[in-house]
Amino acid sequence: MADTLPQTTAPTPVAVEQPSYAHPVAAFFLFFFKAAAVFIYIFCGWFGTDFVINFCTITFLLVCDFWTVKNVSGRLMVGLRWWNEVSEMGGSDWKFESLEEGQRAVNKKDSFVFWTLLYATPAVWCALGFIAILKLNIDYLLLVIIAVLLSGANLMGYLKCSKAAQNQIKGRFNSLFASGLRAYMFSGRS
Amino acid sequence: GGPQNTLDEPVWETAKRDLRRICKNLVMVVFPFKDRSQQSAALRNWDLWGPMIFTLGLATTLSLGAQTASKTFSLVFALVSMGAIVLTVNVVLLGGTIGFFQSLCLLGYCLFPMDVAAIVCVTVKIMLVRWIVVPVMIVWASWASIPFVGGAVPANRRALAVFPLVLLYTAVGWLALIT
């Protein structure tokens, strides 16, 4: 299954040094929605538009950002994915998906950009929230709460996902180690 | 079960899948003409896009006709979101077996009739039309959501779970009526 986003730099094989981003388009969109939402939030007074329009626009951008990070950027840039399923009993199951060994290498720069933005977004919105509380701006506080919830959810999801992936790798390593040990003990001995 | 390996699928696939799910959920919840028993299974694919769209739509529509647009908008949005969360907590506290997000999803989709009511109220000035449309929509919204909520709680607590639900829709309907 080839990914169909156009890439301006060709992805290089694993063994070679990867100096450039493997998914510049994904990185751009990752940054764009977040930055646009924050920018419009801070400067909406200058545009002179209606509060309702501001709210809907920013919410739309926040939702786009959430969806992009969850479904596109995470997949392409760090090979992780999380979602939720409801089981028979009505309990919710958090499912995680991560790259198999050797399926595709994760570009270091992509990973850095992704995780930095992921941590930075809730932090920025929390700061904006404090400012809104100080200014007693309840209407915009509502918006900030939505922003914090959405970006926080993505952060938590990916953190849990990467932990799950690491556990998976550890588990596989352990079983590989055990089978290697067994092979060593039972072979080459008469 | 979940998708097998969706890590490398094209972006459009993901988008289409989510859109299809929104439509399916909407039809399942609000236009249930088929067998009701499979509905709780159907809502297992919950999503919050529908509720978000409908809540925003409701708040926007109601603020269009009001004097203080921004206050009305925030009020409606906060009322509906808080109402949905409180109702969900209520069901859970009453010993219900519905999932938190499932319930939020359901309550959000059941706002669709209230959206229709709001649009009608904002566009039509004749009070009689409003007085007919709003109660009908309240009944429709309640009728869509009561089986889920009522079915999830033990029988002797059903009224406790259902009453706040009807109250919420009535409150929203009232807001629409007086616009």
Side-chain angles (χ1 to χ4, degrees), chain B residues 12-39:
Chain B
W12 272 126
E13 264 308 308
T14 320
K16 265 197 301 187
R17 192 148 40 90
D18 281 339
L19 283 171
R20 247 181 261 141
R21 191 169 52 176
I22 297 177
C23 291
K24 205 164 91 151
N25 275 340
L26 180 61
V27 169
M28 282 283 176
V29 171
V30 184
F31 304 97
F33 294 127
K34 300 195 210 148
D35 181 19
R36 278 247 177 170
S37 59
Q38 8 154 303
Q39 272 182 315

mmCIF file of all heavy atoms in Angstrom, chain B residues 12-39:
data_model
loop_
_atom_site.group_PDB
_atom_site.id
_atom_site.type_symbol
_atom_site.label_atom_id
_atom_site.label_comp_id
_atom_site.label_asym_id
_atom_site.label_seq_id
_atom_site.Cartn_x
_atom_site.Cartn_y
_atom_site.Cartn_z
ATOM 1 N N TRP B 12 -7.398 9.819 1.592
ATOM 2 C CA TRP B 12 -8.797 9.836 1.221
ATOM 3 C C TRP B 12 -9.573 8.667 1.813
ATOM 4 O O TRP B 12 -10.727 8.773 2.179
ATOM 5 C CB TRP B 12 -8.959 9.801 -0.301
ATOM 6 C CG TRP B 12 -8.943 11.161 -0.884
ATOM 7 C CD1 TRP B 12 -8.154 11.627 -1.875
ATOM 8 C CD2 TRP B 12 -9.775 12.268 -0.498
ATOM 9 N NE1 TRP B 12 -8.435 12.932 -2.135
ATOM 10 C CE2 TRP B 12 -9.414 13.360 -1.313
ATOM 11 C CE3 TRP B 12 -10.782 12.441 0.442
ATOM 12 C CZ2 TRP B 12 -10.027 14.595 -1.215
ATOM 13 C CZ3 TRP B 12 -11.396 13.685 0.552
ATOM 14 C CH2 TRP B 12 -11.018 14.738 -0.267
ATOM 15 N N GLU B 13 -8.899 7.518 1.906
ATOM 16 C CA GLU B 13 -9.560 6.350 2.484
ATOM 17 C C GLU B 13 -10.012 6.636 3.899
ATOM 18 O O GLU B 13 -11.129 6.325 4.294
ATOM 19 C CB GLU B 13 -8.580 5.164 2.511
ATOM 20 C CG GLU B 13 -8.699 4.218 1.353
ATOM 21 C CD GLU B 13 -10.107 3.732 1.137
ATOM 22 O OE1 GLU B 13 -10.730 3.237 2.093
ATOM 23 O OE2 GLU B 13 -10.617 3.878 0.013
ATOM 24 N N THR B 14 -9.120 7.217 4.681
ATOM 25 C CA THR B 14 -9.453 7.513 6.065
ATOM 26 C C THR B 14 -10.620 8.492 6.139
ATOM 27 O O THR B 14 -11.556 8.309 6.923
ATOM 28 C CB THR B 14 -8.232 8.124 6.774
ATOM 29 O OG1 THR B 14 -7.066 7.437 6.357
ATOM 30 C CG2 THR B 14 -8.375 8.008 8.260
ATOM 31 N N ALA B 15 -10.540 9.533 5.291
ATOM 32 C CA ALA B 15 -11.592 10.549 5.331
ATOM 33 C C ALA B 15 -12.930 9.935 4.953
ATOM 34 O O ALA B 15 -13.947 10.139 5.606
ATOM 35 C CB ALA B 15 -11.246 11.700 4.380
ATOM 36 N N LYS B 16 -12.911 9.136 3.874
ATOM 37 C CA LYS B 16 -14.173 8.528 3.426
ATOM 38 C C LYS B 16 -14.740 7.631 4.505
ATOM 39 O O LYS B 16 -15.957 7.620 4.744
ATOM 40 C CB LYS B 16 -13.929 7.707 2.145
ATOM 41 C CG LYS B 16 -14.218 8.483 0.881
ATOM 42 C CD LYS B 16 -14.370 7.577 -0.314
ATOM 43 C CE LYS B 16 -13.117 6.775 -0.541
ATOM 44 N NZ LYS B 16 -13.182 5.993 -1.796
ATOM 45 N N ARG B 17 -13.850 6.883 5.156
ATOM 46 C CA ARG B 17 -14.330 5.956 6.176
ATOM 47 C C ARG B 17 -15.033 6.698 7.298
ATOM 48 O O ARG B 17 -16.098 6.310 7.762
ATOM 49 C CB ARG B 17 -13.133 5.155 6.730
ATOM 50 C CG ARG B 17 -13.528 3.994 7.568
ATOM 51 C CD ARG B 17 -12.557 2.846 7.484
ATOM 52 N NE ARG B 17 -11.165 3.237 7.466
ATOM 53 C CZ ARG B 17 -10.424 3.388 8.546
ATOM 54 N NH1 ARG B 17 -10.952 3.216 9.726
ATOM 55 N NH2 ARG B 17 -9.168 3.738 8.430
ATOM 56 N N ASP B 18 -14.434 7.817 7.726
ATOM 57 C CA ASP B 18 -15.059 8.594 8.796
ATOM 58 C C ASP B 18 -16.375 9.207 8.352
ATOM 59 O O ASP B 18 -17.350 9.230 9.102
ATOM 60 C CB ASP B 18 -14.097 9.692 9.269
ATOM 61 C CG ASP B 18 -13.042 9.131 10.207
ATOM 62 O OD1 ASP B 18 -13.288 8.055 10.780
ATOM 63 O OD2 ASP B 18 -11.991 9.757 10.373
ATOM 64 N N LEU B 19 -16.421 9.718 7.127
ATOM 65 C CA LEU B 19 -17.654 10.334 6.657
ATOM 66 C C LEU B 19 -18.780 9.315 6.581
ATOM 67 O O LEU B 19 -19.921 9.578 6.962
ATOM 68 C CB LEU B 19 -17.425 10.954 5.273
ATOM 69 C CG LEU B 19 -16.681 12.283 5.294
ATOM 70 C CD1 LEU B 19 -16.299 12.708 3.897
ATOM 71 C CD2 LEU B 19 -17.529 13.359 5.938
ATOM 72 N N ARG B 20 -18.421 8.149 6.069
ATOM 73 C CA ARG B 20 -19.446 7.102 5.957
ATOM 74 C C ARG B 20 -19.994 6.758 7.336
ATOM 75 O O ARG B 20 -21.197 6.519 7.503
ATOM 76 C CB ARG B 20 -18.826 5.842 5.332
ATOM 77 C CG ARG B 20 -19.371 5.539 3.960
ATOM 78 C CD ARG B 20 -18.767 4.283 3.398
ATOM 79 N NE ARG B 20 -17.685 4.574 2.482
ATOM 80 C CZ ARG B 20 -16.566 3.862 2.413
ATOM 81 N NH1 ARG B 20 -16.378 2.847 3.208
ATOM 82 N NH2 ARG B 20 -15.628 4.182 1.548
ATOM 83 N N ARG B 21 -19.070 6.764 8.327
ATOM 84 C CA ARG B 21 -19.516 6.388 9.666
ATOM 85 C C ARG B 21 -20.464 7.425 10.242
ATOM 86 O O ARG B 21 -21.415 7.097 10.934
ATOM 87 C CB ARG B 21 -18.301 6.218 10.568
ATOM 88 C CG ARG B 21 -18.642 5.586 11.881
ATOM 89 C CD ARG B 21 -17.414 5.208 12.607
ATOM 90 N NE ARG B 21 -16.509 6.361 12.684
ATOM 91 C CZ ARG B 21 -15.374 6.337 13.342
ATOM 92 N NH1 ARG B 21 -15.018 5.269 13.988
ATOM 93 N NH2 ARG B 21 -14.587 7.391 13.357
ATOM 94 N N ILE B 22 -20.199 8.697 9.968
ATOM 95 C CA ILE B 22 -21.084 9.751 10.464
ATOM 96 C C ILE B 22 -22.483 9.560 9.902
ATOM 97 O O ILE B 22 -23.485 9.598 10.629
ATOM 98 C CB ILE B 22 -20.557 11.157 10.084
ATOM 99 C CG1 ILE B 22 -19.212 11.406 10.730
ATOM 100 C CG2 ILE B 22 -21.534 12.215 10.504
ATOM 101 C CD1 ILE B 22 -18.615 12.729 10.347
ATOM 102 N N CYS B 23 -22.575 9.352 8.578
ATOM 103 C CA CYS B 23 -23.893 9.180 7.972
ATOM 104 C C CYS B 23 -24.600 7.969 8.550
ATOM 105 O O CYS B 23 -25.795 8.018 8.869
ATOM 106 C CB CYS B 23 -23.744 9.004 6.459
ATOM 107 S SG CYS B 23 -23.191 10.492 5.659
ATOM 108 N N LYS B 24 -23.830 6.883 8.704
ATOM 109 C CA LYS B 24 -24.449 5.661 9.205
ATOM 110 C C LYS B 24 -24.996 5.872 10.615
ATOM 111 O O LYS B 24 -26.110 5.473 10.936
ATOM 112 C CB LYS B 24 -23.415 4.534 9.205
ATOM 113 C CG LYS B 24 -24.036 3.159 9.124
ATOM 114 C CD LYS B 24 -23.020 2.134 8.741
ATOM 115 C CE LYS B 24 -22.412 1.559 10.003
ATOM 116 N NZ LYS B 24 -21.972 0.189 9.849
ATOM 117 N N ASN B 25 -24.188 6.528 11.443
ATOM 118 C CA ASN B 25 -24.636 6.782 12.810
ATOM 119 C C ASN B 25 -25.883 7.645 12.833
ATOM 120 O O ASN B 25 -26.807 7.415 13.606
ATOM 121 C CB ASN B 25 -23.522 7.460 13.613
ATOM 122 C CG ASN B 25 -22.567 6.449 14.192
ATOM 123 O OD1 ASN B 25 -22.909 5.287 14.320
ATOM 124 N ND2 ASN B 25 -21.376 6.879 14.543
ATOM 125 N N LEU B 26 -25.909 8.667 11.956
ATOM 126 C CA LEU B 26 -27.053 9.557 11.938
ATOM 127 C C LEU B 26 -28.330 8.785 11.607
ATOM 128 O O LEU B 26 -29.342 8.900 12.295
ATOM 129 C CB LEU B 26 -26.831 10.662 10.894
ATOM 130 C CG LEU B 26 -27.972 11.669 10.783
ATOM 131 C CD1 LEU B 26 -28.168 12.373 12.097
ATOM 132 C CD2 LEU B 26 -27.710 12.649 9.672
ATOM 133 N N VAL B 27 -28.250 7.985 10.549
ATOM 134 C CA VAL B 27 -29.429 7.234 10.158
ATOM 135 C C VAL B 27 -29.846 6.258 11.250
ATOM 136 O O VAL B 27 -31.019 6.160 11.611
ATOM 137 C CB VAL B 27 -29.161 6.481 8.830
ATOM 138 C CG1 VAL B 27 -30.264 5.500 8.549
ATOM 139 C CG2 VAL B 27 -29.023 7.459 7.695
ATOM 140 N N MET B 28 -28.877 5.580 11.818
ATOM 141 C CA MET B 28 -29.179 4.611 12.868
ATOM 142 C C MET B 28 -29.895 5.239 14.039
ATOM 143 O O MET B 28 -30.801 4.665 14.619
ATOM 144 C CB MET B 28 -27.872 4.006 13.395
ATOM 145 C CG MET B 28 -27.297 2.967 12.519
ATOM 146 S SD MET B 28 -28.182 1.434 12.698
ATOM 147 C CE MET B 28 -27.332 0.513 11.458
ATOM 148 N N VAL B 29 -29.424 6.421 14.412
ATOM 149 C CA VAL B 29 -29.945 7.005 15.635
ATOM 150 C C VAL B 29 -31.266 7.720 15.386
ATOM 151 O O VAL B 29 -32.238 7.544 16.111
ATOM 152 C CB VAL B 29 -28.925 8.003 16.231
ATOM 153 C CG1 VAL B 29 -29.545 8.774 17.358
ATOM 154 C CG2 VAL B 29 -27.701 7.260 16.700
ATOM 155 N N VAL B 30 -31.295 8.534 14.341
ATOM 156 C CA VAL B 30 -32.411 9.449 14.225
ATOM 157 C C VAL B 30 -33.537 8.921 13.340
ATOM 158 O O VAL B 30 -34.683 9.311 13.484
ATOM 159 C CB VAL B 30 -31.915 10.814 13.687
ATOM 160 C CG1 VAL B 30 -33.026 11.804 13.647
ATOM 161 C CG2 VAL B 30 -30.802 11.320 14.581
ATOM 162 N N PHE B 31 -33.211 8.019 12.432
ATOM 163 C CA PHE B 31 -34.267 7.481 11.570
ATOM 164 C C PHE B 31 -34.364 5.973 11.716
ATOM 165 O O PHE B 31 -34.148 5.234 10.775
ATOM 166 C CB PHE B 31 -33.976 7.775 10.096
ATOM 167 C CG PHE B 31 -33.793 9.223 9.802
ATOM 168 C CD1 PHE B 31 -32.533 9.764 9.741
ATOM 169 C CD2 PHE B 31 -34.887 10.034 9.584
ATOM 170 C CE1 PHE B 31 -32.356 11.109 9.458
ATOM 171 C CE2 PHE B 31 -34.727 11.370 9.300
ATOM 172 C CZ PHE B 31 -33.461 11.907 9.231
ATOM 173 N N PRO B 32 -34.636 5.490 12.915
ATOM 174 C CA PRO B 32 -34.607 4.043 13.121
ATOM 175 C C PRO B 32 -35.914 3.371 12.714
ATOM 176 O O PRO B 32 -36.785 3.156 13.524
ATOM 177 C CB PRO B 32 -34.359 3.901 14.621
ATOM 178 C CG PRO B 32 -34.891 5.157 15.221
ATOM 179 C CD PRO B 32 -35.049 6.172 14.143
ATOM 180 N N PHE B 33 -36.045 3.079 11.458
ATOM 181 C CA PHE B 33 -37.263 2.418 11.031
ATOM 182 C C PHE B 33 -37.134 0.915 11.053
ATOM 183 O O PHE B 33 -38.099 0.200 10.947
ATOM 184 C CB PHE B 33 -37.650 2.875 9.622
ATOM 185 C CG PHE B 33 -38.035 4.329 9.589
ATOM 186 C CD1 PHE B 33 -37.452 5.205 8.705
ATOM 187 C CD2 PHE B 33 -38.964 4.822 10.477
ATOM 188 C CE1 PHE B 33 -37.793 6.533 8.686
ATOM 189 C CE2 PHE B 33 -39.317 6.149 10.471
ATOM 190 C CZ PHE B 33 -38.728 7.007 9.577
ATOM 191 N N LYS B 34 -35.902 0.472 11.170
ATOM 192 C CA LYS B 34 -35.747 -0.980 11.182
ATOM 193 C C LYS B 34 -35.745 -1.507 12.606
ATOM 194 O O LYS B 34 -36.095 -0.815 13.546
ATOM 195 C CB LYS B 34 -34.420 -1.353 10.501
ATOM 196 C CG LYS B 34 -34.350 -0.895 9.095
ATOM 197 C CD LYS B 34 -33.223 -1.589 8.382
ATOM 198 C CE LYS B 34 -32.670 -0.688 7.284
ATOM 199 N NZ LYS B 34 -31.252 -0.917 7.104
ATOM 200 N N ASP B 35 -35.280 -2.693 12.757
ATOM 201 C CA ASP B 35 -35.265 -3.360 14.034
ATOM 202 C C ASP B 35 -34.418 -2.607 15.060
ATOM 203 O O ASP B 35 -33.264 -2.312 14.827
ATOM 204 C CB ASP B 35 -34.686 -4.768 13.815
ATOM 205 C CG ASP B 35 -34.664 -5.551 15.088
ATOM 206 O OD1 ASP B 35 -35.399 -5.175 16.008
ATOM 207 O OD2 ASP B 35 -33.920 -6.520 15.137
ATOM 208 N N ARG B 36 -34.998 -2.297 16.183
ATOM 209 C CA ARG B 36 -34.314 -1.462 17.169
ATOM 210 C C ARG B 36 -33.263 -2.233 17.964
ATOM 211 O O ARG B 36 -32.404 -1.632 18.588
ATOM 212 C CB ARG B 36 -35.340 -0.914 18.165
ATOM 213 C CG ARG B 36 -36.056 0.290 17.662
ATOM 214 C CD ARG B 36 -35.659 1.482 18.484
ATOM 215 N NE ARG B 36 -36.270 2.680 17.991
ATOM 216 C CZ ARG B 36 -36.242 3.830 18.635
ATOM 217 N NH1 ARG B 36 -35.671 3.899 19.790
ATOM 218 N NH2 ARG B 36 -36.783 4.897 18.114
ATOM 219 N N SER B 37 -33.372 -3.549 17.993
ATOM 220 C CA SER B 37 -32.509 -4.281 18.925
ATOM 221 C C SER B 37 -31.046 -4.229 18.530
ATOM 222 O O SER B 37 -30.181 -4.333 19.359
ATOM 223 C CB SER B 37 -32.976 -5.730 19.023
ATOM 224 O OG SER B 37 -32.922 -6.301 17.728
ATOM 225 N N GLN B 38 -30.781 -4.039 17.223
ATOM 226 C CA GLN B 38 -29.370 -4.022 16.846
ATOM 227 C C GLN B 38 -28.758 -2.646 16.978
ATOM 228 O O GLN B 38 -27.628 -2.413 16.610
ATOM 229 C CB GLN B 38 -29.177 -4.519 15.415
ATOM 230 C CG GLN B 38 -30.449 -4.744 14.645
ATOM 231 C CD GLN B 38 -30.221 -4.603 13.170
ATOM 232 O OE1 GLN B 38 -29.765 -3.578 12.690
ATOM 233 N NE2 GLN B 38 -30.515 -5.663 12.448
ATOM 234 N N GLN B 39 -29.547 -1.701 17.492
ATOM 235 C CA GLN B 39 -29.018 -0.349 17.504
ATOM 236 C C GLN B 39 -27.870 -0.149 18.468
ATOM 237 O O GLN B 39 -26.934 0.558 18.162
ATOM 238 C CB GLN B 39 -30.126 0.639 17.835
ATOM 239 C CG GLN B 39 -30.829 1.061 16.597
ATOM 240 C CD GLN B 39 -31.892 2.063 16.908
ATOM 241 O OE1 GLN B 39 -32.656 1.898 17.839
ATOM 242 N NE2 GLN B 39 -31.924 3.109 16.138
#
